[in-house]
Amino acid sequence: MSRILDQRILLLLISFSASLQSTTILSEWKKCGDQECETAMSRVHATTDYLGPACQYLNFKTGEEIMVYSKLSRKNENLWIGSKGKDFGYFPKDAVKVEEVFTMEEVEVLTKETDFLCLHGDKHTYE
């Protein structure tokens, strides 16, 4: 019984390791309103409908309000990160109009692999 459990744990670790290696890193840097990227930077409204290409992206309809928490920088400056309701993800900055700016300070920090994690309920998926 112990051997079967050991084999299952090993398979789980191998699977998780392979998932980490296939994670799509959209940028190595992002700009935030604080060092932890917890402060909302701005409030925007969608100027067009948007359906993202993967689970890391935020889908929205024209007119919906989105809170922006960070912006990818250097490699992929056209993508911002924000939330609407309980949904959170990346979206193109050209699909929104800034309505209110909460902070002008932008701190550049390194991204982490977990920044590109897909969250589906209580499951974690890497793409």
Side-chain angles (χ1 to χ4, degrees):
M1 182 70 163
S2 175
R3 183 171 182 196
I4 292 173
L5 183 59
D6 289 344
Q7 289 174 341
R8 287 183 181 174
I9 291 172
L10 180 61
L11 287 174
L12 181 64
L13 289 172
I14 291 169
S15 173
F16 184 70
S17 175
S19 294
L20 282 176
Q21 292 172 358
S22 67
T23 301
T24 301
I25 303 297
L26 300 171
S27 178
E28 292 180 4
W29 295 92
K30 62 184 175 180
K31 294 179 182 176
C32 303
D34 62 60
Q35 201 68 31
E36 293 78 29
C37 299
E38 294 176 350
T39 301
M41 298 175 74
S42 60
R43 180 177 54 84
V44 300
H45 277 98
T47 57
T48 186
D49 292 353
Y50 178 72
L51 181 61
C55 62
Q56 297 95 336
Y57 291 80
L58 182 67
N59 301 321
F60 49 79
K61 302 268 187 212
T62 303
E64 289 189 300
E65 182 177 276
I66 301 164
M67 300 300 287
V68 178
Y69 288 92
S70 60
K71 305 170 182 178
L72 293 184
S73 61
R74 299 185 189 189
K75 181 180 172 185
N76 228 342
E77 293 186 1
N78 63 319
L79 289 177
W80 289 0
I81 303 105
S83 67
K84 83 178 167 87
K86 293 188 283 183
D87 297 328
F88 187 84
Y90 296 89
F91 60 92
K93 69 179 183 179
D94 296 338
V96 299
K97 177 183 176 194
V98 176
E99 294 293 324
E100 185 175 3
V101 176
F102 300 128
T103 180
M104 296 298 290
E105 179 182 349
E106 291 185 354
V107 179
E108 192 170 49
V109 298
L110 283 168
T111 60
K112 304 174 217 154
E113 283 187 355
T114 54
D115 289 333
F116 308 104
L117 179 69
C118 290
L119 299 176
H120 297 292
D122 60 350
K123 296 180 182 177
H124 305 297
T125 308
Y126 285 93
E127 296 263 326

